[in-house]
C-alpha cells in the first residue's frame, strides 16, 4: 500500500454541509491500482502517519463478512514500513519560516481569505473561577479549563466555486500563530481536528491571575493567524477572555 505525503479530506457521516473537514490518509493499493482513496488516520492498525512523508507499507487486509453500514468492508494492520521518505525534501534552514512578529507570517496563495468562522469566540471568567461562553444563562454548565476550546467551522458554502479549492489540506488550518495582548512573543500551536484548546493559549497562572486580580469588565483580545500544514497563513481571527 502506498500512502501519499499529502493528506486528503473526509467528512463525518452527519456533516451534511461540509463544515468540519477531517484530514485523512490518501492511499493506493493493489485492489484499486492508479486510484487514490481516502482512509481515516486510524484505519491502519499500528501505523503512525506523519504529513510530508511518502510511505510504502506492507499491510494485512481483512475482509469483514458483516461490516457496519457506515464503515468500510476492510480492516488493515501494519506488517512493515518498506519505505519512508520525506517528500518534498525538507526546506533548507534558510528557507524555513521564522516568525518574530506578525509581519513575518507569509500567506498562502489567495489568502488571507474568509475560510473559517469561530464557534463561540468570547469567554468569561467569574470571581469563583468558573468559565463560561459569553452571554451564558444561569444553569449553564461551566467550562473546564482542560476541555474549553475554540472550534473552527468551515465558512464557504458548498455551492461556492471556492469550496473545493479551500477545502483541501493546503488551505486547511493545521496550526495557529497566537497573538497575545500580554506579550510580543508569537507562539505557534497545533490544532486538533479544527479545534484550539485554551490550555494551549493561556497558562494556569494567567487563569488564576484573571480570577484573583483582574477587575470586572477587563477583556483580553487574542489574535489567531490560522496557518496550513506548511506554516503559511490563511486568515486572521480573534477571540476574547473577560473577567465577569
Amino acid at each position: 500500500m502506498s500512502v501519499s505525503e499529502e493528506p486528503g479530506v473526509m467528512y463525518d457521516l452527519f456533516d451534511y454541509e461540509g463544515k468540519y473537514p477531517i484530514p485523512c490518509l490518501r492511499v493506493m493499493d493493489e485492489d484499486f491500482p492508479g486510484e487514490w482513496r481516502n482512509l481515516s488516520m486510524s484505519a491502519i492498525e499500528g501505523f503512525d502517519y506523519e504529513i510530508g512523508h511518502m510511505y510504502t507499507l506492507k499491510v494485512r487486509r481483512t475482509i469483514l463478512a458483516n461490516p457496519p453500514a457506515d464503515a468500510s468492508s476492510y480492516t488493515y494492520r501494519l506488517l512493515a514500513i518498506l519505505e519512508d521518505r520525506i517528500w518534498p525534501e525538507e526546506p533548507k534552514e534558510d528557507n524555513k519560516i521564522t516568525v518574530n512578529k506578525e509581519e513575518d507570517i507569509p500567506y498562502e496563495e489567495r489568502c488571507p481569505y474568509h475560510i473559517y468562522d469561530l464557534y463561540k469566540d468570547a469567554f468569561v471568567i467569574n470571581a469563583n473561577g468558573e468559565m463560561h461562553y459569553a452571554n451564558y444563562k444561569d444553569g449553564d454548565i461551566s467550562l473546564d479549563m482542560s476541555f474549553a476550546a475554540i472550534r473552527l467551522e468551515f465558512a464557504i458554502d458548498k455551492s461556492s466555486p471556492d469550496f473545493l479549492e479551500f477545502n483541501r489540506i493546503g488551505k486547511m488550518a493545521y496550526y495557529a500563530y497566537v497573538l497575545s495582548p500580554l506579550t510580543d512573543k508569537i507562539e505557534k500551536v497545533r490544532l486538533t481536528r479544527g479545534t484550539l484548546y485554551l490550555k494551549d493559549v493561556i497558562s494556569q497562572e494567567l487563569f488564576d491571575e484573571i480570577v484573583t486580580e483582574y477587575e470586572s469588565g477587563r477583556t483580553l483580545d487574542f489574535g489567531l493567524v490560522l496557518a496550513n500544514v506548511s506554516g503559511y497563513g490563511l486568515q486572521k481571527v480573534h477571540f476574547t477572555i473577560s473577567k465577569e
Side-chain angles (χ1 to χ4, degrees):
M1 175 182 285
S2 299
V3 182
S4 173
E5 76 284 358
E6 183 178 36
V9 176
M10 61 194 312
Y11 302 90
D12 184 88
L13 179 64
F14 301 104
D15 184 10
Y16 304 114
E17 297 181 2
K19 284 187 171 291
Y20 306 106
I22 303 169
C24 65
L25 301 176
R26 295 177 68 240
V27 305
M28 186 187 300
D29 55 28
E30 296 174 353
D31 292 326
F32 301 90
E35 178 183 340
W36 288 104
R37 298 183 296 123
N38 289 340
L39 287 180
S40 73
M41 287 290 186
S42 60
I44 305 173
E45 180 185 349
F47 175 57
D48 294 321
Y49 174 71
E50 187 172 350
I51 289 177
H53 287 239
M54 182 183 294
Y55 299 90
T56 303
L57 309 178
K58 182 178 181 180
V59 301
R60 172 167 290 153
R61 184 195 67 179
T62 300
I63 304 175
L64 302 179
N66 297 293
D70 59 348
S72 172
S73 300
Y74 306 125
T75 62
Y76 301 92
R77 182 165 65 88
L78 178 67
L79 297 180
I81 296 178
L82 304 178
E83 184 181 35
D84 174 3
R85 61 192 180 106
I86 296 174
W87 189 266
E89 295 181 353
E90 287 187 318
K92 296 179 180 180
E93 192 65 36
D94 56 0
N95 289 330
K96 291 184 177 179
I97 298 172
T98 301
V99 175
N100 295 311
K101 57 185 184 298
E102 184 178 354
E103 290 75 18
D104 294 334
I105 301 173
Y107 274 82
E108 182 64 34
E109 185 180 0
R110 289 197 64 192
C111 293
Y113 190 95
H114 183 191
I115 306 172
Y116 294 98
D117 292 323
L118 298 187
Y119 173 75
K120 306 292 187 182
D121 60 0
F123 302 83
V124 294
I125 303 172
N126 65 24
N128 296 322
E130 297 171 333
M131 179 165 55
H132 296 85
Y133 293 122
N135 302 317
Y136 72 98
K137 301 176 182 178
D138 289 340
D140 287 353
I141 298 175
S142 60
L143 303 173
D144 187 292
M145 184 60 183
S146 300
F147 301 103
I150 298 161
R151 189 177 186 185
L152 305 183
E153 294 185 339
F154 196 71
I156 303 174
D157 190 86
K158 274 190 171 182
S159 62
S160 169
D162 290 332
F163 182 85
L164 291 179
E165 177 180 350
F166 285 91
N167 205 343
R168 59 184 180 84
I169 199 69
K171 300 286 178 69
M172 184 182 294
Y174 203 81
Y175 295 101
Y177 295 101
V178 180
L179 312 177
S180 170
L182 302 176
T183 178
D184 292 332
K185 185 178 180 180
I186 297 179
E187 297 286 350
K188 181 183 176 184
V189 298
R190 185 170 177 170
L191 306 182
T192 303
R193 294 186 65 174
T195 300
L196 175 65
Y197 288 94
L198 285 189
K199 64 183 179 181
D200 294 330
V201 177
I202 67 171
S203 64
Q204 185 63 48
E205 289 75 15
L206 175 57
F207 184 91
D208 294 340
E209 183 179 340
I210 294 173
V211 173
T212 60
E213 300 182 24
Y214 277 34
E215 296 180 355
S216 176
R218 181 175 176 183
T219 298
L220 299 176
D221 187 346
F222 289 83
L224 300 173
V225 177
L226 305 177
N228 66 13
V229 67
S230 300
Y232 286 83
L234 302 173
Q235 75 177 93
K236 186 176 180 180
V237 295
H238 292 265
F239 74 93
T240 61
I241 299 175
S242 303
K243 177 65 176 293
E244 190 174 57

